[in-house]
Amino acid sequence: PVSRLPSPVSRLPSPVYSLFPAILPDMPKTYTPVLLGAGALIALGLIASLLVTSPDQLGPFGITIWFALLLLVTAAALTWLIYRRRKEYNRAGFMHASRRGFLIALWAVSLLALNSLRQLAITDIILITVLVVVIDFYMRRTLAS
């Protein structure tokens, strides 16, 4: 069997690790800074856009981009929370957490987007829920084979 040696990048000190050692004690150094850093930068951009612009100024394309970025921030935050709760700190655990985080974020942001257009009805909630469950089932079956 071939043994895996740790990469030189994983031995380098991470600024996120040195700032928050109590929050991030066991997560692999390769996933944590990217996930938290990208999520924080996008979240700051979203907050800045809320303070500086209005939906009228953004237009339809800008609002679509805003909701797509909100999806990324929500998915990153949920992925991190699910990954921390599972306590399975390897690539398979991260992939499971990222799939779950993305699907839950997709469900929540889709409902929020429809609500912002004043188009949300109970049938939409049921339809989006069924769609997310079918996507999850399909992804589980595809990844299992």
Side-chain angles (χ1 to χ4, degrees), residues 11 16 22 29-30 46-47 54-55 66 78 83 87 134 139 143:
R11 290 185 295 230
V16 174
K29 293 182 182 181
T30 55
L46 288 175
I47 291 169
S54 69
W66 194 89
L78 288 172
Y83 191 57
K87 298 189 186 317
V134 167
M139 289 175 82
L143 295 175

Side-chain angles (χ1 to χ4, degrees), residues 32-43 73 76:
T32 303
V34 172
L35 190 65
L36 293 178
L41 283 176
I42 295 172
V73 168

Side-chain angles (χ1 to χ4, degrees), residues 81-99:
L81 288 173
I82 293 169
Y83 191 57
R84 288 288 297 160
R85 282 197 77 193
R86 284 189 59 138
K87 298 189 186 317
E88 187 179 318
Y89 303 116
N90 55 24
R91 183 168 171 77
F94 181 77
M95 295 304 289
H96 176 269
S98 63
R99 185 187 75 231

Side-chain angles (χ1 to χ4, degrees), residues 4-14 17 27-31 33:
R4 292 187 146 208
L5 296 174
S7 70
V9 175
S10 67
R11 290 185 295 230
L12 295 175
S14 168
Y17 248 71
M27 293 179 72
K29 293 182 182 181
T30 55
Y31 300 138

Side-chain angles (χ1 to χ4, degrees), residues 3 11 18 33 67 76-77 88 92 95 100 115 126 139-140 143:
S3 66
R11 290 185 295 230
S18 61
F67 276 112
E88 187 179 318
M95 295 304 289
R100 277 284 161 89
N115 191 34
I126 294 169
M139 289 175 82
R140 283 182 189 220
L143 295 175

